[in-house]
Amino acid sequence: MAEVSHGIGGLKFDASKKTWPNELNIFMALVLIVVIFEALGAMLMGQSLLFDSAGRFDSIFNEARLYIIILQVSIVGIIAIGVTQVIISGGIDLSSGSIVGATAMIAMSFAQTELVNGNPNPKAIFGPALMDLPVIIPILVGLACGLFAGLVNGLLIAYTRIPPFIATLGMMVTARGIAKWWSKGQPISFPTQDYAVIGNGLGGWMPVVIFIVLAILFQFILKYTVYGKHTYAIGSNEEAARMSGIKVGRHKVLVYAIAGSLAAIAALVLSSKNLTAQAGMGIMYELDAIAMAVIGGVSLSGGRGSIVGTVLGALIFGVIISGFTFLRLDAYYQEMVKGGIIVGAVVLDQWRQRPSASRS
Amino acid sequence: MSKLKLQDTGDIILETRDLTKRYGGIHALEGANFILRKGEHVAIMGDNGAGKSTFVRQITGVEQHTRGDIIFNGKSVRFENPMDAREAGIETVFQTLALADELDVPDNLFLGRELVKFRLGPFSILDYKAMRERTLQALEKTGVKIPNLRNTIRHMSGGQRQCVAIARTATFHSKLTIMDEPTAALGVQETAQVENIVRTLKEQGEPLILISHNMRQVFDLVDRIVVFRRGRIVANLNKHETDGQDVVAYITGAKTGEEYQDAA
């Protein structure tokens, strides 16, 4: 970085005044929130949220709660990765929760096992010919569902020029309809052993591993590839991107297709982990994913944010939800507070943008 | 400048013949015959709605002309979009700056034509180092002052933004640079900085079309002044054979160039 510190054309530039990465602020917010819950826990419950308070010698952490927080966050987090790049490109995706529902139903029906404890599968969707299939079949079917839904979103947004809000709202309703219609509202259960591994493998850590791998992959893609650069460019000035020769329409189709595919991965993990698929799966996940991204510093006006931020946002989200449960707060309050957090994060984002415009 | 006025077609970089653009029934541009030679800086002047920007939009591929020919670098061309024009070597600094606010200087300079070190379709891996080095070269070449390349455009002043936009045109060894009112929104110092870049381009022999309302600036910077009125070219003036009042007379319609009498 030394070569930029002298500035161009004789202008001095103080390298120590380098802009503070936003991710650091979010990390500090995470720490602050943990501290608040620890303090409340000590005062109200006489317990610690994340640290061991049972006086064991083998560990300083409360692993059980940490595991639950991370696991809860992982599945929605996979969706949030896709939503993050959509928001950075200046769009929004409201359909991801419904895509989870539809994909879980369709994929699960290709993942069923023929015999359950020696009896025929009571929830069978297809005949025996389509049961006990290799695990790759439901995986591919699921990915294809998500990809297709994402492509429809992208094509509508890029070529009919309807706002992303409307296009993905349509997909949200449609995909939920498909999820209900697929088995006439019946849950689909009893997957093969192999399918169960997707959500339960590695001693239950499989969803977390999938989330972390995807997060690292997309952090890299957004920062170091042409795809990432163009996503930021379109989000910060679509007209400039177009004038610079970026094929904006084609790029948007790709952005939404990837978001749909990531929602499908989340559906595979979730249905596998629960060993069942229901039409109501993933309700409100789209909003949780958007909340994670926004808390993580992804700007709803586009062009700003990162996957690292979203991962931190997801952890903040998880700690708050878990913290409320820990404080024995009613689930109703949790929803209300969740809404407040989303609005608060957006207000904070607006406020962050304002002073910088006049700073120059 | 007399050297450049030789009737040698070999040194013509851009020529339009009978260039016409109609929006429905509106004749925004009518039979424009325009010539630009290598190394020449030409100003286009005229009132609002005189057809200046329409003219530029036709030769940069932003719009498709209704009739006529554009001959660029010896070849008849018809650009489908601004990227076509750019690839052919016409760089334009638009009135509305085509910069991405959330990206930094090298990102903006290379927007849409990023340097990559590993090809993988849309997921090609960017070569940040090479882009930064070439950005430094380009900025030094134009004398642009930017304190920190890593700063996003959002954090820059209007003048710095304009300089980045202009530096972008200089980075790619364009055959022709077009600036549409580059200093309209700038302060005195920033205007001087942009004008310095234009002079640097002149020294380097790069041809330029400058659209401007600023008479002092035009007389300072260019060799020739072409005046548009009501969609037609009404004057083609050598800077040394005219003055401000004369140009105003053409702009307002008090006078029309002899060779354009029938047109007006």
Side-chain angles (χ1 to χ4, degrees):
Chain A
M1 325 290 125
E3 69 265 38
V4 295
S5 63
H6 59 72
I8 309 292
L11 282 191
K12 291 236 165 46
F13 152 62
D14 186 356
S16 65
K17 274 176 141 182
K18 238 183 105 195
T19 39
W20 184 264
N22 194 26
E23 284 78 7
L24 220 55
N25 291 334
I26 295 153
F27 180 74
M28 294 198 313
L30 174 61
V31 172
L32 183 72
I33 288 164
V34 170
V35 168
I36 291 171
F37 275 113
E38 289 295 348
L40 285 174
M43 285 190 300
L44 303 175
M45 321 291 299
Q47 281 178 11
S48 166
L49 173 69
L50 295 183
F51 297 95
D52 170 49
S53 46
R56 290 173 303 153
F57 296 105
D58 55 339
S59 168
I60 57 163
F61 290 110
N62 184 343
E63 289 96 348
R65 187 172 280 120
L66 274 176
Y67 172 72
I68 289 171
I69 292 176
I70 294 170
L71 190 70
Q72 275 180 340
V73 151
S74 293
I75 292 172
V76 184
I78 294 170
I79 301 170
I81 293 170
V83 168
T84 297
Q85 44 130 31
V86 167
I87 298 177
I88 290 173
S89 80
I92 193 87
D93 188 355
L94 297 178
S95 65
S96 40
S98 295
I99 293 177
V100 167
T103 304
M105 295 299 276
I106 295 170
M108 185 58 113
S109 57
F110 287 92
Q112 287 182 302
T113 184
E114 194 182 345
L115 294 174
V116 179
N117 299 326
N119 303 312
N121 189 330
K123 302 281 185 195
I125 294 294
F126 298 124
L130 283 173
M131 298 178 102
D132 282 318
L133 296 168
V135 68
I136 190 72
I137 304 278
I139 289 176
L140 288 180
V141 167
L143 287 176
C145 289
L147 182 69
F148 177 74
L151 277 176
V152 172
N153 279 338
L155 289 168
L156 281 172
I157 290 157
Y159 299 111
T160 70
R161 300 284 179 98
I162 55 175
F165 180 86
I166 301 299
T168 59
L169 187 72
M171 179 57 71
M172 170 181 162
V173 177
T174 307
R176 187 61 67 194
I178 291 170
K180 290 174 185 163
W181 158 80
W182 183 255
S183 64
K184 309 289 174 289
Q186 294 300 308
I188 307 174
S189 307
F190 305 113
T192 58
Q193 288 285 320
D194 288 346
Y195 189 78
V197 170
I198 304 170
N200 299 292
L202 301 175
W205 286 92
M206 194 65 137
V208 182
V209 171
I210 292 174
F211 171 52
I212 291 172
V213 167
L214 287 171
I216 292 170
L217 177 69
F218 276 90
Q219 171 70 20
F220 179 83
I221 286 177
L222 284 184
K223 193 143 174 40
Y224 294 105
T225 70
V226 173
Y227 171 83
K229 198 55 73 191
H230 289 184
T231 306
Y232 281 95
I234 291 169
S236 58
N237 188 345
E238 188 170 329
E239 206 41 52
R242 192 169 282 121
M243 281 205 256
S244 302
I246 295 173
K247 295 193 172 57
V248 174
R250 215 177 61 181
H251 191 89
K252 282 188 178 174
V253 173
L254 195 54
V255 168
Y256 285 92
I258 288 174
S261 307
L262 284 165
I265 293 175
L268 296 172
V269 173
L270 181 65
S271 60
S272 162
K273 183 169 99 52
N274 293 355
L275 302 175
T276 183
Q278 290 164 6
M281 256 180 174
I283 282 184
M284 296 281 280
Y285 277 20
E286 63 279 336
L287 294 182
D288 288 356
I290 292 168
M292 287 175 180
V294 170
I295 293 169
V298 180
S299 170
L300 281 176
S301 43
R304 270 182 316 141
S306 69
I307 299 293
V308 173
T310 297
V311 170
L312 289 169
L315 287 174
I316 291 179
F317 195 83
V319 167
I320 290 175
I321 297 305
S322 180
F324 282 146
T325 312
F326 163 66
L327 296 175
R328 310 245 163 85
L329 230 66
D330 217 27
Y332 304 122
Y333 294 123
Q334 291 185 18
E335 300 251 305
M336 293 179 209
V337 172
K338 221 152 79 174
I341 293 167
I342 297 172
V343 175
V346 175
V347 170
L348 201 68
D349 173 55
Q350 300 281 331
W351 178 76
R352 257 199 315 250
Q353 285 187 46
R354 214 177 302 138
S356 64
S358 55
R359 207 184 289 149
S360 66
Chain B
M1 288 303 86
S2 57
K3 227 170 37 183
L4 290 166
K5 300 204 87 183
L6 293 172
Q7 288 303 311
D8 173 12
T9 51
D11 68 355
I12 293 176
I13 186 83
L14 177 80
E15 182 177 359
T16 69
R17 290 183 193 146
D18 192 29
L19 191 65
T20 298
K21 175 69 182 179
R22 292 189 184 136
Y23 302 103
I26 300 163
H27 299 205
L29 188 67
E30 195 67 39
N33 297 312
F34 178 90
I35 286 179
L36 182 76
R37 290 163 197 283
K38 282 189 179 139
E40 201 180 16
H41 281 198
V42 171
I44 293 181
M45 301 195 82
D47 244 333
N48 292 329
K52 310 182 298 286
S53 290
T54 308
F55 178 71
V56 168
R57 284 200 293 271
Q58 311 314 309
I59 51 184
T60 53
V62 175
E63 288 173 0
Q64 305 298 311
H65 53 273
T66 314
R67 198 180 68 217
D69 296 302
I70 300 170
I71 299 120
F72 179 64
N73 216 13
K75 275 178 294 212
S76 182
V77 291
R78 192 177 185 99
F79 301 125
E80 296 292 323
N81 55 55
M83 202 56 202
D84 275 2
R86 262 176 116 179
E87 270 162 14
I90 300 180
E91 286 284 345
T92 313
V93 180
F94 288 100
Q95 222 166 349
T96 50
L97 292 177
L99 297 174
D101 277 0
E102 305 297 344
L103 300 183
D104 66 11
V105 178
D107 285 349
N108 265 292
L109 250 58
F110 287 90
L111 196 59
R113 48 192 161 187
E114 291 80 2
L115 301 179
V116 297
K117 50 183 172 189
F118 187 77
R119 292 221 155 270
L120 206 73
F123 299 105
S124 298
I125 292 166
L126 297 164
D127 191 345
Y128 275 112
K129 196 159 169 269
M131 286 196 275
R132 191 158 64 239
E133 274 161 14
R134 282 193 55 188
T135 303
L136 282 166
Q137 287 169 10
L139 293 182
E140 262 151 30
K141 181 175 152 194
T142 49
V144 173
K145 293 179 174 134
I146 306 278
N148 180 5
L149 287 188
R150 288 260 170 122
N151 233 342
T152 56
I153 298 296
R154 192 160 57 94
H155 293 102
M156 292 184 182
S157 70
Q160 286 175 330
R161 286 166 198 236
Q162 193 63 266
C163 288
V164 172
I166 293 171
R168 181 156 79 174
T169 70
T171 316
F172 296 95
H173 299 286
S174 52
K175 298 192 183 87
L176 167 63
T177 305
I178 300 173
M179 297 186 188
D180 191 352
E181 300 196 38
T183 60
L186 301 186
V188 178
Q189 267 194 324
E190 294 169 330
T191 301
Q193 204 180 2
V194 170
E195 287 174 356
N196 274 332
I197 298 175
V198 173
R199 287 194 193 93
T200 316
L201 290 177
K202 179 74 193 168
E203 281 159 23
Q204 289 163 350
E206 303 202 7
L208 172 88
I209 296 174
L210 174 74
I211 298 182
S212 178
H213 285 297
N214 184 333
M215 201 67 75
R216 178 207 50 83
Q217 183 175 61
V218 164
F219 275 91
D220 263 11
L221 295 175
V222 306
D223 311 312
R224 202 147 57 78
I225 299 164
V226 171
V227 181
F228 277 70
R229 191 175 70 241
R230 293 185 187 163
R232 293 170 186 276
I233 295 180
V234 293
N236 180 3
L237 309 160
N238 187 315
K239 177 174 83 173
H240 300 292
E241 294 160 7
T242 184
D243 57 40
Q245 289 204 327
D246 198 32
V247 174
V248 170
Y250 285 110
I251 291 173
T252 55
K255 248 171 112 177
T256 300
E258 271 171 41
E259 66 267 47
Y260 303 103
Q261 286 296 352
D262 54 331

